[in-house]
Amino acid sequence: TKLVLRPFRTSTTFQNLKRNKAGVLHVTDDVELFARAAVGELRELPQMFAAKMIDGVVLADACRWYAFRVNAMNDHTDRTEMPADVVEHGRIRDFFGFNRGKHAVIEAAILATRIELREASEIAREFARLQTMVEKTGGRQEHAAFAFLKAYVQERLPTAPQRKR
């Protein structure tokens, strides 16, 4: 019935929630969608349907979803705290969790969003480690998502400013 969201002030999620004061939290196992959305490279929108209680949409292939309204916002720190009330929810299909390949793609997506914050050699090392997990346990979706993220990072690493140590 309640959520506490903690987006970074610099994130698109923060901007959307500050403007709309409502949203939909999705539980999904679609790591390809997750990877593309994380880096802002979602070329085609997935199938969706309108939420009834808020002005928002639900991913048609999500496992579960929760439409919510934000009650308050403390945006005086890097991570804003936003308590919210769930106003509508649904279950479309079971969520069976993530295998190691899916976990590796999610970790790679997080790394891809932090190119400007990490050393290029550190990112390359992590990608090599994660690739082994995808190769061993990933299916078609995990391989496609990881290849996309690897190309995304390789295109941006040479020009990304590196943090100072």
Side-chain angles (χ1 to χ4, degrees):
T1 61
K2 303 224 179 268
L3 297 171
V4 177
L5 306 163
R6 296 188 65 226
F8 286 99
R9 281 187 304 160
T10 56
S11 71
T12 302
T13 299
F14 170 78
Q15 296 302 322
N16 288 338
L17 290 174
K18 186 172 183 172
R19 182 177 53 254
N20 300 321
K21 308 284 191 282
V24 179
L25 177 109
H26 295 93
V27 176
T28 182
D29 54 7
D30 185 341
V31 293
E32 200 167 4
L33 174 64
F34 185 92
R36 289 185 175 280
V39 297
E41 294 283 330
L42 196 59
R43 292 188 186 104
E44 290 182 29
L45 291 178
Q47 284 190 297
M48 297 177 272
F49 59 88
K52 292 179 180 140
M53 302 298 288
I54 64 162
D55 184 19
V57 294
V58 176
L59 296 173
D61 191 39
C63 299
R64 291 186 309 274
W65 57 273
Y66 303 87
F68 60 87
R69 284 199 182 94
V70 174
N71 296 327
M73 190 177 307
N74 175 3
D75 61 357
H76 300 303
T77 60
D78 286 340
R79 286 194 81 171
T80 302
E81 191 161 297
M82 298 179 176
D85 289 324
V86 174
V87 295
E88 181 184 7
H89 61 89
R91 180 186 163 282
I92 298 170
R93 61 186 178 85
D94 289 336
F95 176 73
F96 290 107
F98 297 131
N99 64 21
R100 289 181 74 209
K102 286 185 185 288
H103 275 288
V105 170
I106 291 170
E107 288 298 322
I110 293 167
L111 270 174
T113 66
R114 289 168 173 61
I115 293 171
E116 295 83 15
L117 305 173
R118 312 269 303 260
E119 296 290 337
S121 60
E122 182 183 358
I123 291 173
R125 231 182 358 265
E126 279 299 298
F127 260 82
R129 184 182 69 79
L130 295 168
Q131 184 166 352
T132 301
M133 287 184 247
V134 172
E135 288 171 355
K136 288 182 177 181
T137 65
R140 185 217 54 84
Q141 187 185 75
E142 293 80 19
H143 283 267
F146 193 82
F148 161 74
L149 288 168
K150 189 173 178 182
Y152 176 90
V153 167
Q154 286 173 340
E155 287 174 14
R156 285 154 182 83
L157 267 185
T159 60
Q162 296 298 306
R163 69 182 169 129
K164 293 184 173 128
R165 290 203 174 233

